Amino acid sequence: MENRIMLRPGICDVDNRHYLPEELTDGKTTVNENGNNSQVYPERLKEYKEVLVDGIEDTWYEYVPESYNPEKKTPLVLSMHGGLMNGWGQAVYTSWTLVADREGFIVVFPNAAKTRMWMMECDWDRVIETIGQISGDVPLLHKPEKNVEEYHDVKKTLKIIEKMKQKYNIDAGRIYMQGMSMGNAMTSQFARYEGKILAGAAGSGCPTNSKLLFDENDEVINKSGPLDIWQSRLELDKVPPHYREGDHGTIRRNVEYWNRVNECDSLPEISIRDEYNFAFYHGNKGNNVLMDVKNRDHGQTFDDAELVWDYLFSGCYKDENGVLCHKKPEKEMHADEVNIAVSAGQRKAWINNKVIEMPQSAFLWNKVKYHGLNGDVAVRGSFIYVSVRFISEVFGMECHIKENGRVVELEGTPKIGKLKTQKNYCIQFAEGNVASVVNNHIEAMYVEAVKKEDDLCVSLEWFVRRFLNLHISNCDGVFYATDHSAQISWHMADLIKMYLD
């Protein structure tokens, strides 16, 4: 196989708890945690130092794959490190060098100037109010005093790009940027002010403070125009304490910002694959992807670069007029063809990437134990309930209501989207009964049928597992079912609730 990716073996230092251990430069050691995983220091990674602007000597690291052909136009990726890290740290904590080996592009990992902290615009008064109270001062942060375009780190990054164009045969229409944590915030800043030279931008952890995205009239603050955007979030991560809108609110506003700039569709296509939760927004001017990873802490998954390149960067470029264009990427984004999402208290449901109205709101119902506990109640499970009429509508079955709604029968072959069972069913439910009758045989359910608002309701989990063999996951009151292994994450649950409200 041409341009194969080859992982080099390393010794995992499980006792090392340093943020960026110098031992990683020995080319033998790896360090892993739940959010940041390292590779062995890349052999072809080269350090460079030079005065590029403002009389300050800057440092950056270049990775040029062995397959680089100077006769061929070559894409360029800049990957920006997190706060208190450096360029080589970002190189070992990502898989950009490995993807570059396979795809043949060049990667640059710049250092932030002086303090290992990027010069960032910020809500300074709020920073003083929150971080200052925590630490007694505000170490290593830059108070904005000039326009973003005049920040040294922004000017330095532009100079590095110019230098790469002079040194290598760089494709000017295929320049991309990605960052982690504070490097993500730096990438966002660069994309909003100097993004005309980029085709796409991506980042993991640390979304941008929404006060920097919208003005006092709620208009977007943007000098660059559309870009293809990838926003990686981690379920267990938290936004910085000085962000006013909190975790969910900040992430919603970051998604909204690029949806507005790129003129994206109002509803995303959702795909959940194991721990990876994707929302794909397609726009008239550019695309926007949100990825939230279940059970991950602050940082970036080691395959983040792989995903960003295959699904986004490989499929976007700018033409000679600077217009964002698209071609077929390495891998195409596909929504879950079968997906069902409902949320307790919400009357709308997400069905195969469309929002529909239900006869009544979904609700939670507890499975309880009383006996032998002196009257105390022990909850043995909590299940999402919907009306049987809604089930008949979604799964294409006939619904027969009897005894003033206290008994309901479903007849037919359950189906949804591409998924269809091979068996015809007659299913009877009766109020207060934990049993159902399926083709004239008794079957226990998780919990009893309940009549509410003149509708007989049953557990949606039980129905989709029993009759369609769907996979179920729950998070923060949102139930998600699909035809493959999927674990809905915290931010994806919030996003779905926003659309079901």
Side-chain angles (χ1 to χ4, degrees):
M1 182 185 296
E2 187 178 1
N3 298 341
R4 290 183 62 190
I5 289 177
M6 294 295 293
L7 290 172
R8 293 166 56 216
I11 301 170
C12 186
D13 188 351
V14 296
D15 296 321
N16 202 321
R17 293 295 177 265
H18 295 294
Y19 185 51
L20 185 61
E22 289 293 328
E23 289 86 346
L24 286 174
T25 60
D26 65 9
K28 302 175 183 178
T29 305
T30 62
V31 175
N32 299 307
E33 62 168 331
N34 192 39
N36 287 310
N37 310 301
S38 84
Q39 62 168 312
V40 173
Y41 195 97
E43 290 181 313
R44 299 180 66 85
L45 189 67
K46 305 297 181 185
E47 181 184 82
Y48 294 87
K49 293 178 181 288
E50 188 175 329
V51 176
L52 299 172
V53 65
D54 298 331
I56 298 172
E57 183 180 65
D58 279 298
T59 303
W60 68 94
Y61 298 81
E62 298 176 14
Y63 188 85
V64 181
E66 188 176 2
S67 62
Y68 169 68
N69 181 357
E71 302 300 318
K72 181 182 177 181
K73 288 287 187 183
T74 302
L76 173 67
V77 174
L78 293 97
S79 188
M80 320 302 275
H81 65 75
L84 301 178
M85 286 183 64
N86 58 23
W88 70 254
Q90 179 70 352
V92 300
Y93 279 131
T94 73
S95 54
W96 278 117
T97 58
L98 298 169
V99 182
D101 285 338
R102 187 188 68 212
E103 301 295 334
F105 57 78
I106 292 172
V107 193
V108 174
F109 304 92
N111 277 9
K114 295 184 179 180
T115 62
R116 293 190 175 186
M117 300 283 280
W118 297 103
M119 188 173 186
M120 301 290 306
E121 59 173 345
C122 64
D123 182 355
W124 186 253
D125 291 337
R126 184 69 170 167
V127 168
I128 293 292
E129 177 185 336
T130 55
I131 298 180
Q133 289 177 354
I134 295 170
S135 65
D137 56 12
V138 188
L140 303 179
L141 292 179
H142 303 278
K143 181 178 180 179
E145 296 175 346
K146 301 178 181 178
N147 295 330
V148 169
E149 295 92 334
E150 298 178 68
Y151 293 177
H152 173 78
D153 282 329
V154 172
K155 292 191 293 181
K156 173 264 301 291
T157 302
L158 289 169
K159 287 293 185 181
I160 289 176
I161 293 172
E162 290 178 16
K163 193 169 187 65
M164 294 303 103
K165 289 180 179 179
Q166 296 165 3
K167 190 174 181 180
Y168 306 106
N169 190 2
I170 299 298
D171 186 340
R174 300 194 68 194
I175 300 174
Y176 312 95
M177 185 177 290
Q178 180 269 346
M180 189 275 287
S181 188
M182 194 181 193
N184 180 16
M186 173 63 181
T187 297
S188 170
Q189 176 176 268
F190 192 91
R192 289 178 282 115
Y193 287 92
E194 298 288 359
K196 287 185 174 64
I197 66 171
L198 302 176
S204 181
C206 194
T208 299
N209 187 340
S210 61
K211 184 172 181 178
L212 308 177
L213 301 177
F214 303 94
D215 64 20
E216 61 276 7
N217 298 314
D218 200 41
E219 298 295 328
V220 297
I221 303 171
N222 184 281
K223 295 187 177 182
S224 299
L227 290 173
D228 269 17
I229 296 294
W230 182 289
Q231 302 180 56
S232 295
R233 306 298 176 220
L234 300 313
E235 184 186 51
L236 303 179
D237 194 9
K238 298 294 181 182
V239 302
H242 57 283
Y243 287 16
R244 296 177 184 273
E245 293 175 313
D247 295 295
H248 286 328
T250 299
I251 288 171
R252 283 188 184 190
R253 292 287 271 172
N254 274 251
V255 171
E256 179 189 351
Y257 176 87
W258 286 108
N259 280 350
R260 285 210 225 167
V261 173
N262 291 341
E263 297 182 3
C264 290
D265 297 337
S266 57
L267 282 181
E269 294 181 338
I270 288 176
S271 176
I272 303 179
R273 294 287 189 268
D274 291 323
E275 294 183 330
Y276 290 77
N277 288 238
F278 300 95
F280 306 127
Y281 294 88
H282 302 284
N284 294 324
K285 295 183 177 180
N287 298 316
N288 187 18
V289 181
L290 173 69
M291 179 179 79
D292 187 37
V293 187
K294 184 80 175 174
N295 191 35
R296 285 286 182 145
D297 293 282
H298 183 72
Q300 57 196 340
T301 64
F302 192 69
D303 58 355
D304 191 90
E306 169 87 15
L307 296 167
V308 169
W309 179 265
D310 282 357
Y311 286 102
L312 196 75
F313 286 178
S314 64
C316 64
Y317 65 96
K318 283 188 172 175
D319 65 17
E320 61 276 6
N321 297 314
V323 177
L324 183 63
C325 303
H326 295 91
K327 62 177 185 175
K328 186 176 180 179
E330 291 288 328
K331 294 180 180 178
E332 293 189 77
M333 301 173 183
H334 294 292
D336 290 344
E337 293 185 27
V338 172
N339 61 10
I340 304 165
V342 296
S343 177
Q346 304 284 10
R347 196 174 186 116
K348 295 177 182 177
W350 184 282
I351 306 294
N352 289 358
N353 293 293
K354 295 181 180 179
V355 174
I356 68 171
E357 194 89 11
M358 294 191 290
Q360 62 165 275
S361 299
F363 60 94
L364 291 176
W365 191 260
N366 290 334
K367 179 179 183 178
V368 298
K369 174 178 173 57
Y370 296 98
H371 300 294
L373 295 174
N374 298 320
D376 290 336
V377 174
V379 176
R380 300 304 194 203
S382 187
F383 301 91
I384 196 84
Y385 266 54
V386 296
S387 74
V388 179
R389 282 198 297 134
F390 170 70
I391 289 175
S392 72
E393 176 186 347
V394 170
F395 299 106
M397 303 180 74
E398 293 183 16
C399 183
H400 305 287
I401 301 174
K402 303 177 180 180
E403 296 190 28
N404 294 322
R406 301 186 70 196
V407 174
V408 179
E409 289 183 353
L410 295 179
E411 284 190 287
T413 301
K415 55 186 177 295
I416 180 171
K418 66 174 184 177
L419 189 63
K420 182 178 181 180
T421 61
Q422 301 301 313
K423 191 172 183 179
N424 194 62
Y425 289 100
C426 177
I427 311 165
Q428 182 203 354
F429 304 101
E431 181 185 6
N433 282 270
V434 78
S436 60
V437 179
V438 179
N439 290 350
N440 210 32
H441 290 272
I442 296 292
E443 289 193 20
M445 301 187 293
Y446 299 154
V447 266
E448 65 270 17
V450 175
K451 192 177 181 190
K452 187 175 182 181
E453 298 179 14
D454 297 324
D455 265 314
L456 194 65
C457 302
V458 296
S459 162
L460 183 57
E461 290 109 312
W462 176 81
F463 186 90
V464 299
R465 279 197 177 111
R466 168 62 180 84
F467 297 103
L468 291 106
N469 198 31
L470 296 186
H471 295 256
I472 310 299
S473 62
N474 295 277
C475 183
D476 202 19
V478 177
F479 159 97
Y480 189 85
T482 188
D483 58 351
H484 55 267
S485 176
Q487 299 182 55
I488 187 171
S489 63
W490 189 49
H491 292 303
M492 180 59 72
D494 177 70
L495 190 73
I496 289 174
K497 279 195 279 191
M498 179 179 71
Y499 291 114
L500 299 185
D501 191 6

